[in-house]
């Protein structure tokens, strides 16, 4: 777990310019590249695995605006727990307060486990002029959050943040049976991280979970005590739903939760 200022692009970072360069299983994503990254031709780099899970820029921008308004203004730090190639981190860093000028977040921390993917994120953020406004962390976000809550003295100074003023955005992988075919997706079977594991890691902070559009709302509702309001928003691109985000408030010490 370490902060990194600048990682070099590697042979695992790609900016394809012709369809013939693109692996067959990624060609449909590349053909949608301008929907995902409107400024793709400016030099956006993506790893092969990242194409499967990258948030389209219009969705990332709307989520950033929604997080800025739904999450309490007392939250001034935001952690992107699965930064990928940077779409959400960039949007969060660009997001402004109600005056349209002041950054909504004093600090944006982007965490990514894969070095090549993080190198792409840093490069892409530089194209948007926000690379220096994001704290980049190479490592496991679960380990970081555990240290943040239980052993902050083990973290570098600028990674020690007050959890009471921090929110988490998490766009985890959606592996597991049924993600693409089930009418209602069982979040307990999501791989490699299920709903209980994600919520367990973030429950002490306000958090937003980016989930499959068919996720079981009953499972999400069980994350909070009866009577607690949560926002669940469907995000669409060109009229088609791409994902939902559940905005979940931090747990209180006396909160009790149902098993999911």
């Amino acid at each position: 777990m370490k902060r990194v200022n600048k990682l070099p692009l590697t042979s695992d970072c790609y900016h394809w310019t012709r369809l013939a360069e693109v692996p067959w299983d990624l060609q449909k994503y590349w053909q949608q590249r301008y929907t995902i990254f409107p400024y793709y031709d400016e030099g956006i780099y993506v790893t092969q695995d990242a194409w499967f899970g990258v948030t389209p820029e219009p969705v990332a921008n709307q989520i950033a605006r929604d997080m800025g308004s739904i999450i309490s203004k007392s939250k001034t730090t935001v952690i992107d727990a699965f930064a990928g190639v940077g779409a959400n981190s960039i949007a969060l860093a660009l997001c402004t307060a109600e005056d349209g000028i002041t950054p909504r977040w004093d600090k944006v921390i982007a965490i990514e486990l894969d070095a090549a993917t993080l190198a792409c994120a840093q490069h892409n953020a530089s194209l948007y002029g926000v690379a220096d406004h994001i704290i980049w962390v190479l490592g496991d976000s679960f380990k970081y959050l555990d240290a943040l809550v239980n052993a902050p003295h083990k973290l570098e100074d600028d990674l020690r943040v007050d959890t009471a003023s921090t929110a988490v955005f998490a766009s985890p992988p959606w592996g597991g049976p049924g993600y693409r075919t089930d009418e209602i997706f069982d979040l307990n079977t999501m791989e490699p991280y299920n709903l209980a594991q994600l919520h367990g890691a973030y429950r002490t902070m306000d958090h937003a979970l980016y989930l499959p559009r068919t996720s079981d709302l009953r499972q999400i509702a069980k994350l909070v005590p009866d009577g607690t309001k949560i926002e669940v928003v469907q995000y669409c691109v060109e009229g088609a739903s791409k994902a939902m985000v559940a905005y979940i408030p931090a747990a209180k010490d006396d909160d009790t939760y149902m098993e999911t």
Side-chain angles (χ1 to χ4, degrees), residues 26-231:
L26 296 177
Q27 290 183 1
K28 73 172 183 178
Y29 299 100
W30 184 81
Q31 289 174 322
Q32 300 171 21
R33 62 196 180 280
Y34 298 121
T35 299
I36 299 172
F37 291 111
Y39 300 105
Y40 179 84
D41 289 345
E42 298 300 315
I44 293 291
Y45 274 77
V46 184
T47 61
Q48 291 196 27
D49 287 345
W51 277 108
F52 292 108
V54 63
T55 305
E57 184 176 311
V59 173
N61 288 338
Q62 186 59 53
I63 290 172
R65 288 190 290 269
D66 289 347
M67 280 200 72
S69 60
I70 294 173
I71 301 293
S72 168
K73 300 298 186 294
S74 66
K75 314 300 179 180
T76 55
T77 294
V78 63
I79 298 169
D80 184 357
F82 299 92
V85 293
N88 294 108
S89 298
I90 292 168
L92 290 166
L94 288 170
C95 186
T96 58
E98 294 176 354
D99 63 8
I101 300 172
T102 308
R104 167 61 180 87
W105 304 98
D106 293 344
K107 183 177 289 188
V108 178
I109 299 174
I111 307 173
E112 172 55 45
L113 189 59
D114 180 71
T117 304
L118 189 60
C120 290
Q122 292 178 314
H123 170 82
N124 296 338
S126 71
L127 299 179
Y128 287 81
V130 294
D132 293 336
H133 301 289
I134 300 171
I135 296 174
W136 304 98
V137 180
L138 180 62
D140 185 316
S141 62
F142 291 101
K143 292 181 179 178
Y144 167 71
L145 290 165
D146 180 65
L148 183 62
V149 173
N150 298 308
H153 63 280
K154 294 183 178 180
L155 298 172
E156 299 175 41
D157 289 347
D158 55 2
L159 296 183
R160 298 177 199 162
V161 296
D162 178 11
T163 57
S165 61
T166 299
V168 177
F169 174 78
S171 176
W174 293 346
Y179 150 53
R180 296 185 182 277
T181 57
D182 286 0
E183 183 176 350
I184 299 177
F185 179 60
D186 184 353
L187 293 166
N188 293 333
T189 65
M190 191 163 62
E191 298 173 358
Y193 316 110
N194 63 28
L195 183 62
Q197 184 176 1
L198 294 168
H199 180 62
Y202 313 140
R203 66 184 300 273
T204 60
M205 292 167 275
D206 288 3
H207 54 284
L209 301 179
Y210 185 87
L211 301 168
R213 60 184 176 82
T214 57
S215 296
D216 191 334
L217 293 175
R218 295 166 298 181
Q219 293 175 325
I220 296 171
K222 290 178 181 179
L223 297 178
V224 297
D226 290 343
T228 300
K229 179 182 177 181
I230 62 173
E231 301 273 356

